[in-house]
Amino acid sequence: MSKKHRRIVRELAETTLMTVVVFIFLVTFVVQGFKVYGSCMEPNLFTGERLLGNKFVYRFEKPSRGDIIVFRFPPDPHKIFIKRIVALPGETVEIRQGKVYINGKPMHEPYMRKVAHGDFPPQKVPKGNVFVLGDNRDASNDSRFWGDLPIKNIQAKAWLRYWPMARMTVFNSPWR
């Protein structure tokens, strides 16, 4: 093999190795794939859809209202849930006739497409926790039933729906 061919092979090997290392870093520390199960986030997320979650973002910023998050279910940490953050530490959350109130003011929820029902008495979210709800409130097992979510349970912020391709979406909080 000539010097030129050896150089090309070496550059190709180095590039391939670096690509693998970067990919492993990204998958290990930055992004992770998740599959949606259940109807609690319909019509925004459906069973079988696939998401990429950003595992790194909350190292640099705090969770925000409106973020769709993937987390370990507090009563059974082996289960992974997907919900939306509606109240932050120190805020008082209340639900009256399906409408969410934060610190006594009605919350604007542009992502809600189904009318929700039910009530939830005023409750202050403790430090280090958030209050999460599904977008399909009438079919969601969320903070109303098992309590506030410890921020340490959050695994990732939903970043990209990549399957099905026809519904590919980059998620942003409605407030950012």
Side-chain angles (χ1 to χ4, degrees):
M1 187 182 294
S2 72
K3 265 187 164 181
K4 182 178 180 183
H5 285 105
R6 276 184 280 187
R7 184 174 46 85
I8 290 171
V9 168
R10 181 177 176 198
E11 286 179 15
L12 187 61
E14 288 174 353
T15 301
T16 301
L17 179 63
M18 192 55 147
T19 301
V20 169
V21 168
V22 168
F23 178 77
I24 290 171
F25 173 80
L26 287 174
V27 168
T28 303
F29 298 107
V30 180
V31 297
Q32 182 176 343
F34 298 96
K35 187 174 182 181
V36 177
Y37 293 99
S39 61
C40 67
M41 291 296 289
E42 289 180 4
N44 297 309
L45 297 173
F46 290 96
T47 293
E49 292 185 334
R50 304 225 178 222
L51 311 173
L52 285 180
N54 182 334
K55 299 184 336 183
F56 205 60
V57 67
Y58 293 136
R59 295 180 192 266
F60 300 103
E61 63 184 53
K62 294 178 181 178
S64 294
R65 185 181 348 279
D67 289 353
I68 298 172
I69 57 168
V70 181
F71 60 92
R72 294 198 178 282
F73 181 49
D76 183 357
H78 293 96
K79 292 182 181 179
I80 300 295
F81 276 27
I82 300 172
K83 305 286 183 205
R84 189 180 300 270
I85 296 173
V86 296
L88 302 169
E91 295 181 329
T92 299
V93 61
E94 178 181 6
I95 302 172
R96 289 184 243 142
Q97 297 178 345
K99 181 73 179 157
V100 176
Y101 292 80
I102 303 297
N103 297 327
K105 297 179 183 169
M107 185 172 143
H108 177 62
E109 298 185 277
Y111 45 81
M112 290 294 292
R113 298 203 182 101
K114 292 184 176 183
V115 175
H117 302 88
D119 297 312
F120 184 81
Q123 174 184 311
K124 187 171 183 175
V125 180
K127 182 179 180 181
N129 290 265
V130 292
F131 191 89
V132 297
L133 295 173
D135 290 352
N136 182 4
R137 306 271 158 83
D138 292 338
S140 181
N141 179 12
D142 49 41
S143 288
R144 295 171 296 172
F145 303 105
W146 42 261
D148 300 304
L149 174 69
I151 291 172
K152 68 181 182 184
N153 285 41
I154 298 175
Q155 298 293 292
K157 177 181 177 181
W159 169 55
L160 172 73
R161 175 182 22 226
Y162 65 91
W163 189 260
M165 289 183 68
R167 283 180 43 92
M168 187 177 289
T169 306
V170 174
F171 295 107
N172 289 313
S173 167
W175 293 274
R176 284 193 257 164

